[in-house]
DNA sequence: TACACAATGTTATATTATAACAATTAATTA
DNA sequence: TAATTAATTGTTATAATATAACATTGTGTA
């Protein structure tokens, strides 16, 4: 079977919902909201999420257990992610900084370990919250 | 109240256990193992973990929901963490790379956001697992 | 068509984490 | 030292996140 081009029914439903959202969504919040579309069980959500993460359409924000659509054409595969997270308003956005991503992709430590993936999360206060 | 110098009883018990471990430990695994010391409930573990993370004695590996002792004198406060994670043997170690940590600490994006913390996790195959 | 694999449906359960409230211990300061 | 305040502990219950196991259905390929 060739590499999948299109999403399956459940994958599409769940991706559409995440894509429309302005903030990262939690699995059970997604479940609650797509029940009208016929998705009834957590596992149906988690399976779709797993696949969407795998193919890079969405990313998991590990520190929040939440999922966000990829808006970065540079990371069609989800092996190199950088996020900016506001600790006050919980706004999350994907950072698209070529210099930084190159730096990280090329990073080598002294242990001989071979890296094929990384996830970086920056925390702080966004401009709005800082002003308050 | 001044900044705490010494750990409380529960904090010490749980820190000792994590410190002796060679791999990151999960909260309920810790709970199971310290029950003989009189710690009976999840909340007792989570409270100690929260405090230990806050003061930088341990770190949470977000992608694994597990905790590891800090072995890096550079990050007595847990606001700047970099980990190396083997996806096969699950070995985790803290990376102490001054150049990289400086680069990240000084990182600024174009949104005017002010960062005071970051967490970076690299994934791949360690030397051992690569050889197999 | 026959095969292999991906995706779905369903029920139950495992794992991770917090709420709420009462009691106790330790540091501060008057 | 006594009163005050903050940190820590103990305890029960429950919330939130995630996976196991198994049967079935869809989909692309040979
Ligand atoms: Zn992305
Ligand atoms: Zn904000
Ligand atoms: Zn550390
Ligand atoms: Zn390994």
């Amino acid at each position: 079977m060739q590499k999948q081009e299109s999403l399956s029914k459940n994958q599409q439903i769940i991706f559409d919902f995440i894509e429309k959202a302005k903030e990262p969504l939690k699995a059970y919040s997604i479940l609650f909201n797509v029940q009208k579309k016929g998705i009834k069980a957590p596992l149906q959500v988690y399976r779709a999420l797993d696949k969407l993460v795998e193919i890079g359409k969405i990313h998991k924000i590990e520190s929040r257990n939440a999922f966000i659509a990829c808006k970065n054409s540079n990371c069609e595969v989800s092996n190199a992610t950088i996020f900016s997270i506001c600790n006050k308003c919980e706004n999350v956005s994907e950072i698209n900084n070529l210099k930084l991503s190159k730096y990280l992709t090329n990073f080598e430590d002294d242990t001989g370990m071979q890296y094929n993936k990384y996830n970086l999360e920056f925390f702080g206060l966004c401009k709005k919250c800082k002003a308050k």
Side-chain angles (χ1 to χ4, degrees), chain A:
Chain A
M1 186 171 274
Q2 74 184 37
K3 189 177 175 184
Q4 160 174 355
E5 300 287 322
S6 59
L7 301 178
S8 75
K9 191 189 67 171
N10 288 2
Q11 288 160 17
Q12 190 70 57
I13 290 169
I14 285 166
F15 177 68
D16 286 347
F17 188 68
I18 295 174
E19 234 237 331
K20 268 180 273 168
K22 292 191 181 70
E23 65 278 318
L25 298 176
K26 305 215 154 206
Y28 276 74
S29 152
I30 295 167
L31 173 59
F32 180 78
N33 281 280
V34 297
Q35 279 180 334
K36 61 186 78 101
K37 303 268 186 183
I39 291 177
K40 293 173 191 166
L43 201 45
Q44 294 176 292
V45 174
Y46 280 104
R47 284 198 282 226
L49 289 174
D50 285 350
K51 194 67 183 183
L52 291 167
V53 166
E54 186 192 322
I55 64 180
K57 301 281 283 183
I58 66 173
H59 301 302
K60 181 173 186 180
I61 313 299
E62 293 286 356
S63 65
R64 299 297 190 262
N65 297 318
F67 300 85
I68 191 174
C70 178
K71 280 154 190 144
N72 179 352
S73 59
N74 286 25
C75 64
E76 277 304 308
V77 176
S78 62
N79 63 350
T81 49
I82 309 175
F83 298 101
S84 159
I85 303 173
C86 177
N87 275 322
K88 193 168 179 189
C89 70
E90 290 292 326
N91 180 66
V92 174
S93 59
E94 191 167 358
I95 293 178
N96 188 356
N97 183 297
L98 198 58
K99 195 175 164 212
L100 176 53
S101 57
K102 271 193 175 169
Y103 190 101
L104 294 175
T105 298
N106 296 325
F107 177 75
E108 289 181 6
D109 62 20
D110 49 9
T111 67
M113 186 150 169
Q114 190 173 68
Y115 299 114
N116 52 40
K117 179 171 156 57
Y118 64 77
N119 178 54
L120 171 57
E121 298 181 4
F122 282 105
F123 305 90
L125 288 181
C126 73
K127 216 170 180 176
K128 267 190 188 171
C129 292
K130 201 166 49 174
K132 283 174 194 170

